[in-house]
Amino acid sequence: MVDIKVDCTGKNCPVPLIGMRKAVRKAANGDVVEITGDHPASKKEIPMAVEALGQELVEVRESGKKWTIRIRKVKE
């Protein structure tokens, strides 16, 4: 189940990264945030940022040029 969805398709960095941070900040502990996009650098940067923020990286999935990243908020 996804609690918050952020679609960053067509957006270049840092927009997807900022969108992810805002969504995680807004989420409650245990919520799952899903970010979708197609910018290749963001697909690598977002998981690194998730780790740096101490959140849980649930899944990184690719379909063609589009990717989906799911994050579970585990701490404030």
Side-chain angles (χ1 to χ4, degrees):
M1 184 175 129
V2 175
D3 299 291
I4 299 174
K5 290 186 178 190
V6 180
D7 185 2
C8 297
T9 305
K11 309 278 190 217
N12 292 331
C13 245
V15 175
L17 190 59
I18 292 168
M20 178 276 296
R21 287 182 181 205
K22 284 182 180 178
V24 168
R25 211 175 300 132
K26 198 168 31 170
N29 282 348
D31 282 358
V32 174
V33 176
E34 180 180 88
I35 299 102
T36 55
D38 55 5
H39 188 247
S42 295
K43 184 186 76 180
K44 294 176 183 170
E45 291 169 4
I46 289 173
M48 289 189 295
V50 169
E51 186 178 328
L53 293 169
Q55 306 303 336
E56 179 186 346
L57 182 63
V58 176
E59 174 181 35
V60 178
R61 195 175 22 162
E62 285 185 80
S63 178
K65 292 185 178 193
K66 200 162 184 175
W67 47 260
T68 301
I69 298 172
R70 289 188 178 165
I71 302 154
R72 179 173 288 110
K73 182 170 182 171
V74 294
K75 69 179 194 176
E76 290 297 324

